[in-house]
């Protein structure tokens, strides 16, 4: 590589140059030894000419790394170039010297290098985001799953409690309706099993206890109470206490 050292004061033409020989393979090895991880790829680009000097991307390893005809326009690693263009626009040389960005699913860092021979270079490294954030992403996913499972469990528990309260109370309502018309045996049979909720089961036990006492008292109750049907109810029995009582024939002298 030729670098100008002096210019003619009148014509402005170069009158002295220095010839430098760069080992791109050596530069590549040096850069590769400084990568963040084995998943990281790096690319070294001349800012002035947009020449691609070195790339550690394994996807373009089939190309000759010493081919200096690569430019940003014809470089085969399009992902690297797209990331470089976005990073370079976010960190222009020489205003910015270093910047880290999240581009797509990668964490990209770009460094602006200015050598003593006045070369402006961009060194960009690209590492998969999962290398840095896999643990936090996994914990976040676990948190989301736990939250969803907990929400489903709460909804399921609410439905179960609602059913556990409503069904026994509905049967208890039917049983109390039967008991109200003195159908105590049917009321006991329709009461069903006790609820697993202690408050509801206490109400059921109280009703069953009351209904058993009514069964014991049946032989001593007036026939008018025992002959009340479902449609008439207790109120009609109270209004007409002698409705169902058979008249006894009087003794005739």
């Amino acid at each position: 590589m030729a670098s100008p050292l002096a210019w003619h004061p009148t014509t402005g033409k170069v009158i002295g140059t220095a010839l430098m020989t760069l080992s791109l393979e050596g530069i590549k090895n040096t850069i590769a030894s400084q990568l963040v991880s084995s998943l990281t790829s790096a690319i070294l680009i001349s800012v002035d000419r947009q020449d691609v000097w070195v790339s550690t991307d394994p996807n373009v390893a089939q190309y000759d790394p010493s081919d200096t005809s690569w430019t940003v326009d014809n470089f085969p690693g399009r992902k690297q170039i797209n990331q470089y263009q976005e990073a370079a626009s976010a960190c222009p040389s020489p205003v910015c010297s270093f910047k880290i960005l999240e581009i797509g699913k990668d964490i990209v860092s770009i460094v602006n290098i200015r050598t003593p021979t006045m070369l402006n270079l961009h060194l960009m490294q690209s590492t998969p985001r999962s290398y840095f954030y896999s643990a936090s992403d996994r914990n976040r996913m676990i948190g989301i799953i736990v939250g969803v499972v907990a929400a489903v469990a709460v909804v399921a528990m609410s439905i179960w409690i609602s059913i556990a309260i409503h069904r026994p109370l509905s049967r208890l309502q039917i049983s109390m309706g039967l008991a109200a018309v003195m159908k105590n045996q049917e009321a006991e049979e329709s009461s069903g099993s006790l609820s697993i909720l202690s408050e509801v089961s206490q109400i059921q036990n109280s009703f069953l206890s009351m209904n058993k006492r009514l069964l014991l008292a049946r032989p001593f109750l007036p026939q008018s109470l025992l002959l009340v049907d479902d449609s008439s109810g207790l109120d009609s029995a109270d209004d007409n206490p002698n409705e169902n009582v058979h008249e006894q024939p009087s003794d005739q002298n």
Side-chain angles (χ1 to χ4, degrees):
M1 176 181 294
S3 177
L5 292 180
W7 291 265
H8 193 279
T10 304
T11 63
K13 294 181 178 181
V14 176
I15 58 177
T17 60
L19 185 64
M20 296 180 294
T21 302
L22 296 176
S23 173
L24 297 182
E25 189 65 30
I27 294 175
K28 177 181 178 181
N29 293 335
T30 300
I31 293 175
S33 65
Q34 303 298 319
L35 296 180
V36 175
S37 72
S38 59
L39 302 175
T40 304
S41 62
I43 187 170
L44 184 65
I45 295 177
S46 169
V47 177
D48 299 323
R49 297 180 52 185
Q50 294 289 287
D51 290 334
V52 179
W53 283 18
V54 167
S55 172
T56 63
D57 190 343
N59 296 323
V60 295
Q62 57 182 319
Y63 297 91
D64 184 3
S66 63
D67 185 359
T68 56
S69 64
W70 282 350
T71 66
V72 169
D73 294 330
N74 63 17
F75 183 70
R78 293 312 309 171
K79 178 181 178 181
Q80 277 189 309
I81 293 302
N82 292 337
Q83 290 179 342
Y84 161 73
Q85 290 175 335
E86 184 171 345
S89 63
C91 184
S93 178
V95 179
C96 175
S97 60
F98 175 74
K99 196 172 186 67
I100 298 178
L101 307 94
E102 183 174 348
I103 301 177
K105 297 182 178 180
D106 297 320
I107 302 298
V108 177
S109 65
I110 187 166
V111 181
N112 294 330
I113 304 172
R114 188 173 179 86
T115 68
T117 56
M118 307 305 289
L119 290 175
N120 292 318
L121 303 174
H122 270 157
L123 175 61
M124 187 196 76
Q125 294 192 45
S126 177
T127 307
R129 185 183 183 279
S130 59
Y131 177 79
F132 300 100
Y133 297 102
S134 58
S136 60
D137 289 344
R138 182 174 61 254
N139 292 337
R140 181 177 61 182
M141 182 59 63
I142 292 175
I144 293 174
I145 293 174
V146 170
V148 171
V149 171
V152 172
V154 169
V155 172
M157 182 66 69
S158 301
I159 296 174
W160 177 81
I161 292 176
S162 177
I163 294 174
I165 293 175
H166 180 266
R167 181 175 295 175
L169 291 181
S170 297
R171 297 182 68 89
L172 183 61
Q173 181 183 11
I174 296 174
S175 298
M176 293 183 70
L178 292 171
V181 294
M182 305 308 296
K183 295 183 178 181
N184 304 99
Q185 189 65 40
E186 296 179 19
E188 185 175 359
E189 295 173 355
S190 65
S191 61
S193 59
L194 294 178
S195 172
I196 61 175
L197 298 178
S198 60
E199 293 82 359
V200 179
S201 63
Q202 289 175 6
I203 298 175
Q204 289 176 298
N205 283 326
S206 298
F207 167 75
L208 292 174
S209 177
M210 179 195 71
N211 193 60
K212 287 181 180 179
R213 291 181 180 274
L214 288 175
L215 283 172
L216 294 175
R218 281 179 64 91
F220 308 100
L221 294 177
Q223 290 296 317
S224 60
L225 294 177
L226 302 178
L227 296 177
V228 175
D229 58 16
D230 296 343
S231 60
S232 60
L234 286 177
D235 292 340
S236 61
D238 292 337
D239 294 339
N240 302 288
N242 298 319
E243 180 180 357
N244 295 312
V245 178
H246 297 285
E247 295 182 1
Q248 299 294 330
S250 61
D251 294 337
Q252 295 180 357
N253 293 329

